[in-house]
């Protein structure tokens, strides 16, 4: 076993600002908050860096970042793609300033055309351009992160398409990139990505944990179908940070209680 698991929480709709979020984090004896940059108050231009520094030092917690889920650095519109790349670069700069260890990122699947017998994903159809854009992005991020310990972690969502797997393998050639395993999404997608993630478990450093039933996820821990002790063993073996990614305060509290009751926290 490498390390004890470090547990954190996401930013929740019910917590209107970062102060309330950090108060809840401390009340539940969690170690960090994952700031969700989909929310308007956590856009890069609106984040109060001085306040985050103050909270971090006073409350002895830390932050991770969940990048905007709309980010598509391979968009065929070069101006749009550049804006997304710049957003990630600015987020890396913020992470350096606040000693944020993880930027969590989704892989965009892009646009698809629905033909009579199949879906054709444009990133697959134009894979050479797709991979070239990812390589350029990888190299920009590698240079920007430099000698810091920041990792950009790629999260599984609805099951990686073949071209996404090729893209992830390409960007994992840089040590700046790593993996996030979302165990609820994994269950809902019928374990499409488990083989790939476990094959690359040496690059797994971050996890999103929530329970799931069928395709419904983000449930309270212990109320679904996931073998949580088994998943948390993987987290412990790899020294992962784990975000308890439920969506309400009540569900978060119940999930923390589950972990305490089962001596997992």
């Amino acid at each position: 076993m490498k390390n004890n698991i470090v547990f954190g929480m996401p930013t929740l709709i019910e917590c209107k600002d970062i102060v309330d979020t950090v108060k809840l984090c401390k009340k539940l004896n969690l170690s960090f908050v994952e700031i969700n940059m989909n929310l308007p108050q956590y856009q890069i231009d609106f984040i109060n860096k001085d306040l985050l520094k103050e909270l971090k030092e006073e409350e002895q917690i830390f932050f991770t970042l969940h990048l905007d889920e709309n980010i598509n650095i391979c968009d065929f519109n070069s101006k749009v793609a550049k804006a997304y790349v710049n957003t990630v670069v600015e987020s890396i700069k913020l992470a350096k300033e606040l000693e944020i260890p993880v930027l969590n990122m989704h892989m965009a699947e892009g646009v698809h055309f629905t033909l009579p017998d199949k879906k054709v994903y444009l990133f697959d159809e134009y894979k050479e351009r797709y991979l070239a854009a990812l390589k350029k992005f990888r190299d920009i991020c590698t240079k920007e992160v430099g000698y810091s310990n920041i990792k950009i972690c790629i999260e599984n969502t609805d099951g990686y398409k073949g071209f996404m797997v090729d893209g992830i393998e390409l960007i994992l050639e840089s040590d700046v990139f790593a993996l996030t395993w979302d165990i609820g999404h994994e269950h809902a997608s019928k374990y499409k990505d488990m083989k790939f993630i476990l094959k690359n478990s040496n690059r797994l450093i971050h996890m999103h944990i929530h329970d799931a039933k069928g395709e419904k996820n983000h449930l309270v821990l212990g109320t679904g179908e996931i073998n949580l002790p088994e998943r948390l063993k993987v987290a412990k073996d790899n020294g992962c940070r784990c975000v308890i990614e439920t969506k309400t305060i009540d569900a978060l509290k119940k999930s923390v209680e589950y972990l305490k009751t089962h001596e997992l926290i």
Side-chain angles (χ1 to χ4, degrees):
M1 298 265 179
K2 283 188 177 180
N3 295 298
N4 290 326
I5 304 169
V6 178
F7 289 98
M9 62 169 283
T11 42
L12 302 171
I13 289 290
E14 294 166 283
C15 296
K16 295 304 180 185
D17 58 37
I18 196 63
V19 174
D20 285 345
T21 303
V22 170
K23 282 180 182 177
L24 180 60
C25 179
K26 291 296 291 183
K27 183 178 179 180
L28 296 176
N29 292 316
L30 299 173
S31 299
F32 69 96
V33 171
E34 184 148 288
I35 296 173
N36 192 319
M37 300 180 82
N38 292 288
L39 294 165
Q41 64 267 40
Y42 300 124
Q43 297 301 306
I44 198 73
D45 296 333
F46 295 108
I47 287 178
N48 186 331
K49 290 183 280 189
D50 291 335
L51 176 59
L52 290 182
K53 285 179 185 177
E54 182 182 321
L55 290 169
K56 179 175 177 287
E57 291 169 8
E58 287 184 358
E59 303 297 346
Q60 291 298 293
I61 55 104
F62 65 94
F63 300 101
T64 60
L65 294 179
H66 191 305
L67 296 174
D68 189 329
E69 293 173 25
N70 293 314
I71 283 177
N72 181 0
I73 46 81
C74 298
D75 196 288
F76 296 136
N77 184 320
S78 59
K79 292 181 180 179
V80 171
K82 184 177 181 181
Y84 283 132
V85 172
N86 288 342
T87 298
V88 177
V89 168
E90 290 301 312
S91 299
I92 292 170
K93 290 177 180 177
L94 175 68
K96 282 183 173 180
E97 192 169 346
L98 296 177
E99 298 180 311
I100 289 171
V102 166
L103 279 65
N104 186 79
M105 178 179 169
H106 290 189
M107 291 290 284
E109 66 175 32
V111 175
H112 67 266
F113 282 16
T114 303
L115 304 186
D117 59 339
K118 62 181 177 179
K119 288 181 180 179
V120 175
Y121 288 86
L122 296 191
F123 286 158
D124 196 25
E125 188 72 10
Y126 300 92
K127 192 189 291 187
E128 191 173 317
R129 289 183 63 173
Y130 171 72
L131 294 177
L134 278 176
K135 183 177 184 297
K136 183 178 179 181
F137 172 71
R138 179 198 71 191
D139 294 344
I140 289 170
C141 291
T142 301
K143 182 178 179 181
E144 191 63 40
V145 168
Y147 294 105
S148 69
N149 292 321
I150 296 165
K151 298 292 185 185
I152 302 171
C153 294
I154 308 301
E155 178 189 352
N156 60 299
T157 52
D158 300 321
Y160 290 132
K161 311 294 186 294
F163 61 88
M164 289 184 183
V165 173
D166 292 341
I168 296 168
E169 288 177 339
L170 177 69
I171 59 180
L172 284 177
E173 291 175 6
S174 166
D175 289 339
V176 162
F177 290 86
L179 295 176
T180 295
W181 189 9
D182 187 305
I183 64 172
H185 290 164
E186 179 64 34
H187 182 83
S189 69
K190 297 181 173 62
Y191 299 96
K192 292 177 182 176
D193 303 316
M194 181 180 281
K195 184 177 179 181
F196 175 80
I197 290 169
L198 294 181
K199 184 182 77 171
N200 292 282
S201 62
N202 63 318
R203 306 299 292 278
L204 177 63
I205 66 168
H206 200 59
M207 288 177 68
H208 287 174
I209 62 170
H210 43 106
D211 221 326
K213 284 182 181 178
E215 295 183 359
K216 186 176 182 180
N217 52 42
H218 298 291
L219 303 179
V220 173
L221 295 178
T223 64
E225 301 164 341
I226 297 176
N227 186 333
L228 294 168
E230 184 180 85
R231 299 294 181 275
L232 289 172
K233 183 182 183 303
V234 174
K236 194 168 185 179
D237 287 349
N238 291 281
C240 292
R241 301 174 183 89
C242 288
V243 181
I244 305 168
E245 204 187 30
T246 54
K247 298 300 184 180
T248 67
I249 293 172
D250 182 62
L252 180 62
K253 289 179 177 178
K254 288 176 179 175
S255 293
V256 170
E257 190 58 37
Y258 169 88
L259 292 171
K260 287 180 179 177
T261 300
H262 291 78
E263 298 181 347
L264 296 168
I265 193 170

